[in-house]
Amino acid sequence: MASPNPNRNVLRTAIACGGLALGMIGLAFASAPLYDAFCKATGYDGTPRQGPALAVAAETTDSLVVHFDTNVASTLPWTFRAESRSVEARLGETRTVFFQVRNGGTTPSTGVATFNVQPGLMGGYFVKIECFCFKEQTLQPGETLDVPVVFYVDPDVRKDSNTAHLSEMTLSYTYFASKNGEPVTTAAAAPSVNKRNF
């Protein structure tokens, strides 16, 4: 009877460990996009859902007040504001709100907006159909751009005992400098955020 080859066992163990290490690295790179997709699909952690407009608008007079909060990271020389600080949105009704962003710097710069809904429980009921925050913008020095967000508040908000009583919510945006569509932050010192309005 042949004795087991110890080199063969070591080789198998090394291949298994290498495969496990590569799998963990791949999972680490995939986890952020997967988590982002999960949040956008479910509204988890105050992330607004993304989806199409309702096929049939709900027949209701019930509404919520939606407040808009605009911020710019200190590393980006932009100013940013909503055309209205708040709107009254009937449940299920598609609304469009414009925001104005301006590059006050002396060189072209590129930015992307991150977003959140408060209270966080409302993220699952705030549905964005179109938003400037889905892509980065490049502005020339002194250039001003009007950008829209198209949204509706899902009428199911009233069926959830956690949100049925709410009468208002806040949609908050923060513009960061960006590269390849992603916000640029530094590990050593995260930029402070300023409320820069016109």
Side-chain angles (χ1 to χ4, degrees):
M1 180 174 175
S3 62
N5 185 345
N7 289 337
R8 189 173 183 157
N9 290 339
V10 169
L11 181 61
R12 283 184 185 160
T13 302
I15 290 172
C17 289
L20 182 62
L22 286 175
M24 291 174 70
I25 290 170
L27 185 59
F29 279 106
S31 63
L34 289 174
Y35 179 76
D36 186 53
F38 169 77
C39 290
K40 287 176 182 173
T42 63
Y44 179 75
D45 199 25
T47 303
R49 287 175 27 213
Q50 293 178 16
L54 290 175
V56 178
E59 294 292 328
T60 181
T61 56
D62 194 1
S63 63
L64 283 170
V65 175
V66 181
H67 301 282
F68 302 104
D69 176 47
T70 56
N71 307 281
V72 179
S74 62
T75 56
L76 194 61
W78 290 10
T79 52
F80 176 43
R81 68 177 177 89
E83 67 175 356
S84 302
R85 292 194 180 272
S86 63
V87 296
E88 187 168 346
R90 239 181 38 220
L91 300 185
E93 177 186 34
T94 300
R95 296 292 309 261
T96 301
V97 174
F98 281 90
F99 293 75
Q100 192 171 82
V101 60
R102 180 178 171 276
N103 179 1
T106 57
T107 60
S109 54
T110 302
V112 66
T114 62
F115 50 85
N116 199 298
V117 168
Q118 290 299 323
L121 292 169
M122 290 297 296
Y125 300 104
F126 189 86
V127 184
K128 289 184 179 181
I129 300 165
E130 181 56 51
C131 183
F132 60 90
C133 59
F134 294 164
K135 55 188 176 290
E136 62 185 8
Q137 285 83 34
T138 299
L139 298 177
Q140 299 302 314
E143 183 180 2
T144 299
L145 186 64
D146 291 320
V147 291
V149 60
V150 182
F151 69 92
Y152 68 90
V153 179
D154 192 325
D156 286 346
V157 70
R158 294 299 184 225
K159 297 177 183 174
D160 185 338
S161 62
N162 295 311
T163 57
H165 66 285
L166 296 175
S167 60
E168 57 186 358
M169 58 183 287
T170 300
L171 176 60
S172 183
Y173 287 105
T174 301
Y175 258 109
F176 289 92
S178 68
K179 184 175 183 179
N180 299 325
E182 296 295 323
V184 175
T185 58
T186 59
S192 61
V193 174
N194 300 320
K195 288 188 178 289
R196 285 198 204 141
N197 297 321
F198 292 95

